[in-house]
Amino acid sequence: MNTLTLVTGAHAEVLNRKALPIALPFSDTLCSLLDEMVEKMRKEKGIGLAAPQVGISQRMCVIELDGVVSKYINPEITSRSQEKIFFEEGCLSLPGEFFPIERHEEITLKYWNEKGLPKRIRARGLLAIVLQHEIDHLDGILICKRYQRQKSKEGKIYGRIVE
Ligand SMILES: [Zn+2]
């Protein structure tokens, strides 16, 4: 049974705190927690979910795009493209609110999979956008804060997503 509960609201402490890295080796409990996060993300109709959104201040997130589920432990962006794109972003932690957010079109990401193996991927477009949104969650940055910080407030919108 899924016992995870969504934390909502711009001022929730766990959503504004930097989450802690997860130590190797990864436990079975961690793997089942990731599975529960996937279930929760589907139930709430999001395409991404980071652990702080269910009240767990640890650096991990799950994403489902085009029917493909991916799980990221201790993700870290190692390079970012100059090119940026705008998406209208919504967040399961801020129901009903949308912000035009500008992000890098392409990133390189280092992370660990649930088997404890280090991975490196190049992500572009939608996957790159969702990863940047989830990693912001791990750093305690909600889209309302990201929007306040960004210099350009609007641009051509490529799509609308909730994560
Ligand atoms: Zn979010």
Side-chain angles (χ1 to χ4, degrees), residues 53 91-92 133 137 163:
Q53 295 183 275
C91 181
L92 295 174
H133 179 114
H137 273 303
E163 44 203 312

Side-chain angles (χ1 to χ4, degrees), residues 70-76 109-114 117-121:
S70 44
K71 300 165 182 172
Y72 304 88
I73 301 170
N74 298 334
E76 197 184 308
L109 185 86
K110 188 175 94 174
Y111 67 100
W112 275 261
N113 71 8
E114 56 188 334
L117 298 173
K119 297 274 176 185
R120 189 180 287 272
I121 54 162

Side-chain angles (χ1 to χ4, degrees), residues 41-74:
M41 165 179 71
R42 287 178 171 160
K43 189 167 167 252
E44 303 291 341
K45 303 195 186 336
I47 56 176
L49 185 74
Q53 295 183 275
V54 287
I56 300 164
S57 197
Q58 295 190 334
R59 303 189 76 81
M60 60 181 169
C61 63
V62 297
I63 291 174
E64 183 169 30
L65 282 181
D66 299 323
V68 180
V69 169
S70 44
K71 300 165 182 172
Y72 304 88
I73 301 170
N74 298 334

